[in-house]
Amino acid sequence: MHRGILASKEVFPYPDVLTLEQKETVDSMLDPFQRFFTEVNNAGRNDENSVVDDNTLKNLWELGGMGIQVPSEYGGLGMNNTQYARLCQIVGAHDLGLGIVLGAHQSIGFKGIMLYGTPEQKEKYLPKVASETVYAAFALTEPSSGSDANSIRSRAVKSADGKHYVLNGSKIWISNGGWAEVMTVFAQTEQLDKKTGQMKDKVTAFIVERAFGGVTSGQPEKKMGIKASNTAEVYFDNVKIPIENVLGKEGEGFKVAVNILNSGRFGMGATLSGTMKKCIEIATEHANNRVQFGQKIKTFGTIQEKLARMNILQYATESMAFMIAQNMDSGSQDYHLETAISKIYASECAWQVCDEAIQILGGMGFMRETGLERIMRDLRIFRIFEGTNEVLRLFVALSGVQYAGNHLKELQRAFKNPAANLGFIFKEASRRATSTIGLGGTDLSANVVPELQESAKKTAACIDLFGKTTEEVIMKYNKNIINEQIILNHLANAAIEIYAMMATLSRSTRSVQLNLPTAQHELNLTKALAIQGSERATLHLRKATSGQLKSENTLTSLISEKVCEENGVHSTDVIGLN
Ligand code: MYA
């Protein structure tokens, strides 16, 4: 996409990876999960008490809910990403607080052992965390290291005999941090830099047991939402970690950390698509019954617009999350940009959907009893943790810009010796020439059903504009593009909109081809998203290269510098008091 060329392999057709048996397995768990959340768990009570009671947790463990993806030989349910995502939707619809207990445990807490564990590590730890009520946590963040994950200060020093490391340091805001017995912990370690021959600090990942000694936790944090989950500081004081508890290779812990996060982020999309479903249910129930000015409020255009937008955003979020989960299940290794996009999109759409649901309910939405205020408080953190949306936007834009920039460099090199690179240059030149005169360019027509040709054209036009815009900003800013965060944000926003449009085009095409009863409605959702999403994407791309951007950016810097200098707003009293 960043080169204006669509690699459609993982988008069209919409993946459908589950075997009949796998579908039956997950289907057989839907009802027990649903019953657990409606009959045993009580989200409101968890929120009030800021804790989940032991009996509820015991039930969740017995259900297998804490080891959904752990292979059955280690005592888990042995589900893949797609099956996990389907169960996450139920969690998201009922209790995000409990979802974090569950998610911090398996989405990131012991995921490293699943992804990087040696056979011995898996043998030792997976049965405990899957079914023996041993909680896991992921300990990366520190007081001075949030988004800048590489800058952690916790340090592990290898013993002279090389048999263990000694870990010192502290971590903050660790979900399950107060009670986890097994943790994936990241710390700086001295490693030989092969390039320079010098020793250099590099992050290493460790499996740390509380039972090693020297591990303590702070009091549970008092939070705005997800109160049912435990969030605490964790301190490591001369913790002796056996060398066999290094997770992955020594010095490669940063990659371990980001890959655990990459591989867990799709779960958030799936979870929040369930939350949105719930909000839409609450809002429609009200819209269907509430009468004002002599009419059901569902007949008012303003309410209809809200409900439609909520449904569109939910559909796109769900389509993305399950496209990614299924691609991961069919062996894709290159999904980190997609999962980042999914996390950003899901967390922002869920916020909007919940907010609009509250607005539709009016005063009722503000009352505790409707449950929406808890959902809204719970949702707020999703734009912050597992990578803030700001840092993930930069990650999406910069990765793409780097990729497109490398291609441009290749082209420049090719021009230095045109005779040897004629084929490459010719191909690129003809692609550009045809797209300049409005021919060529991205063509999605073969990928979608006739009903969606117009929507596909809109999306394709955005992809072409995206490629051109990316190239233009690279030519203009070169390496300095890294400092142009506002432009990068526009590029990321366009990428997110385009990916959402593609996911829905693909899914609804499949629904039409399978003649599903919801196909017509899905077509409507997709068409509406294509109109709205392409307008937003185009606006972002125009802004990225707009002549006014420079003066707007200058003003932005001046204003924010002044605000920071003054520690707040800078204006004289509005009615001239002092
Ligand atoms: S846990 C804490 C979450 N914290 C973060 O996510 C930290 C965010 N920061 C980062 O990801 C990185 O530091 C960034 C890069 C991106 C800022 N995939 O020089 P670099 C490679 C693959 O750019 P930096 C929490 O909140 C890069 O290509 N590779 O690095 C839990 C380069 O490679 P090379 C990546 O500027 C809350 C190298 O690394 C990635 O230092 C609880 C260095 O790159 C990537 N993503 O920083 C949640 N990033 O050297 C509960 C970088 O080869 C769970 N690289 O060129 C809830 C689950 C949902 C519910 C479930 C319910 C059921």
Side-chain angles (χ1 to χ4, degrees), residues 162-355:
K163 288 194 175 149
H164 62 263
Y165 271 95
V166 175
L167 169 68
N168 279 291
S170 67
K171 302 283 176 180
I172 54 167
W173 302 326
I174 304 306
S175 299
N176 293 346
W179 56 42
E181 294 291 336
V182 172
M183 300 179 206
T184 304
V185 182
F186 301 87
Q188 300 288 357
T189 53
E190 271 205 330
Q191 305 291 332
L192 183 70
D193 185 355
K194 284 186 191 134
K195 277 190 212 145
T196 62
Q198 308 281 312
M199 295 307 275
K200 196 180 165 194
D201 273 359
K202 293 202 103 189
V203 175
T204 296
F206 298 95
I207 306 170
V208 177
E209 291 181 38
R210 196 178 283 272
F212 289 163
V215 181
T216 49
S217 304
Q219 287 301 306
E221 300 289 351
K222 291 185 169 52
K223 307 185 292 272
M224 171 195 273
I226 57 164
K227 293 186 181 196
S229 68
N230 171 279
T231 310
E233 294 191 20
V234 185
Y235 313 101
F236 302 99
D237 182 15
N238 286 323
V239 181
K240 202 169 157 187
I241 311 169
I243 194 77
E244 54 273 20
N245 275 34
V246 168
L247 187 59
K249 294 201 178 114
E250 288 171 89
E252 293 190 7
F254 183 70
K255 289 259 171 201
V256 173
V258 290
N259 283 331
I260 292 172
L261 291 162
N262 290 341
S263 94
R265 283 187 184 125
F266 77 93
M268 202 180 269
T271 304
L272 296 181
S273 72
T275 314
M276 289 187 234
K277 238 181 197 172
K278 184 66 168 187
C279 293
I280 295 169
E281 266 169 39
I282 299 174
T284 43
E285 208 210 323
H286 186 79
N288 276 331
N289 295 305
R290 176 80 168 163
V291 176
Q292 287 293 278
F293 307 105
Q295 287 183 52
K296 294 251 167 89
I297 65 166
K298 70 173 177 186
T299 60
F300 296 126
T302 310
I303 302 293
Q304 289 177 350
E305 192 196 19
K306 287 186 195 301
L307 287 173
R309 192 167 48 234
M310 289 154 80
N311 195 169
I312 295 165
L313 298 181
Q314 192 280 340
Y315 184 67
T317 304
E318 187 180 79
S319 305
M320 258 188 211
F322 281 80
M323 189 152 92
I324 297 166
Q326 297 194 80
N327 283 331
M328 288 167 75
D329 285 333
S330 46
S332 171
Q333 295 295 319
D334 192 10
Y335 49 74
H336 47 286
L337 293 190
E338 287 86 344
T339 52
I341 286 177
S342 161
K343 188 271 181 186
I344 299 168
Y345 195 78
S347 57
E348 292 177 5
C349 290
W351 180 259
Q352 287 177 44
V353 167
C354 182
D355 185 50

Side-chain angles (χ1 to χ4, degrees), residues 42-53:
N42 183 329
R45 187 182 61 209
N46 296 342
D47 180 60
E48 291 269 336
N49 297 344
S50 291
V51 74
V52 188
D53 63 85

Side-chain angles (χ1 to χ4, degrees), residues 88-96 271 274-278 375:
C88 283
Q89 283 192 302
I90 301 181
V91 180
H94 290 96
D95 192 347
L96 286 171
T271 304
T275 314
M276 289 187 234
K277 238 181 197 172
K278 184 66 168 187
I375 297 177

